[in-house]
Amino acid sequence: MEIFIGEAIGTFVFVFFTLAIISNVISLDKGNVMSVFAISIGTGIAYLVPCILFSDLTGAHFNIAVTASVFLLGILDIKLIGYYISAQVLGSIVASFLYAVCFRSNLKKCRDEDLKVKLYAVVPTSKNNILNFIKETAVSYIFMFMILLITFVVKDLSKGEVYILMFLVIALLGMAFNYTVVAFNPLRDIFTRLLFAPRDIKSQISKVYVVVTILAPILGTVLATLTYKIIPWDKIM
């Protein structure tokens, strides 16, 4: 039960604040470099806070793709997978609903019709879904591989240093890939996309793209885990 509560609250914090930060930045019609910077830093903090709170209790997954990878590593009992995923789904549903209620007013502030869609869903810059799938996979691959290096390979890091490095990885990925065009974590996109977007916005949102936002992060983190497992770190480090 402790794992369920920790993952649910942690996922809620990450999803809610990530959505809220992106919404506030976009509603100001700031489609410039500073908006990418602000969203990247905000997303990093939104992950860092629950990570500090719950990493000792749950491992701080807050992402179904990370849970799949941790299972592959052999450090997660198969009996616990259901607890992790159900907690993450519950946390993200509640976060998405609360976001939709609290931040709907940002629709009025946003004067750009194209940007309004980004208040509720990731909108890739390319219409080529193969390219989009590769980009989503790459973000998750780099994230998971770097987290594995920070957690298991680099020696003599304090907890504080580990948290700072995790934050920097997420922030840098956001600046490189832009979290308004890649999901990074499918849970921050699924339910606002499918359930909680206003009707006029929902008609412009691709429901099919949710498949990309789920499968690509899972593939990316699984590939990163397999890469980590086949590298003989004891001979390198």
Side-chain angles (χ1 to χ4, degrees):
M1 182 57 71
E2 291 88 353
I3 289 174
F4 183 91
I5 293 172
E7 278 294 303
I9 295 174
T11 305
F12 169 85
V13 171
F14 171 76
V15 172
F16 178 77
F17 283 102
T18 297
L19 288 170
I21 290 164
I22 290 173
S23 180
N24 282 334
V25 172
I26 288 177
S27 67
L28 296 174
D29 292 337
K30 300 294 183 181
N32 52 35
V33 173
M34 288 308 296
S35 69
V36 174
F37 179 80
I39 289 170
S40 301
I41 296 297
T43 301
I45 295 172
Y47 180 79
L48 180 64
V49 171
C51 186
I52 293 172
L53 292 175
F54 299 110
S55 60
D56 289 339
L57 179 63
T58 74
H61 298 190
F62 317 137
N63 185 332
I64 55 178
V66 172
T67 297
S69 294
V70 174
F71 172 70
L72 271 183
L73 284 172
I75 56 178
L76 178 64
D77 191 324
I78 192 171
K79 296 178 182 178
L80 295 177
I81 292 178
Y83 284 99
Y84 274 87
I85 294 178
S86 59
Q88 292 160 5
V89 168
L90 176 62
S92 59
I93 289 175
V94 175
S96 299
F97 172 75
L98 188 61
Y99 162 77
V101 171
C102 294
F103 289 88
R104 182 156 183 167
S105 60
N106 279 352
L107 278 171
K108 296 180 180 178
K109 298 177 186 176
C110 185
R111 295 182 294 274
D112 188 313
E113 293 300 318
D114 293 328
L115 284 178
K116 284 184 178 181
V117 180
K118 290 187 176 183
L119 298 177
Y120 293 91
V122 166
V123 181
T125 53
S126 173
K127 294 182 179 179
N128 185 336
N129 277 335
I130 294 176
L131 178 61
N132 296 329
F133 190 93
I134 292 172
K135 188 181 290 187
E136 288 277 6
T137 302
V139 173
S140 294
Y141 180 94
I142 296 169
F143 166 72
M144 193 68 206
F145 191 72
M146 293 302 296
I147 294 304
L148 290 171
L149 290 182
I150 293 167
T151 306
F152 298 114
V153 178
V154 182
K155 307 297 183 182
D156 302 322
L157 289 176
S158 67
K159 269 192 175 181
E161 290 169 332
V162 169
Y163 293 142
I164 290 171
L165 286 172
M166 288 180 173
F167 161 75
L168 290 175
V169 168
I170 295 172
L172 287 173
L173 283 171
M175 292 176 206
F177 288 94
N178 189 347
Y179 289 138
T180 67
V181 301
V182 294
F184 169 61
N185 183 339
L187 292 169
R188 72 96 164 172
D189 177 81
I190 295 173
F191 298 108
T192 47
R193 179 183 293 270
L194 296 180
L195 299 177
F196 301 120
R199 186 177 300 175
D200 56 327
I201 299 297
K202 192 174 292 185
S203 64
Q204 303 174 56
I205 292 177
S206 169
K207 294 180 176 64
V208 175
Y209 195 73
V210 75
V211 176
V212 175
T213 65
I214 294 174
L215 294 184
I218 292 175
L219 177 62
T221 55
V222 167
L223 289 176
T225 305
L226 294 175
T227 303
Y228 165 80
K229 290 183 74 172
I230 64 175
I231 296 176
W233 297 107
D234 54 332
K235 297 180 181 179
I236 298 173
M237 303 298 289

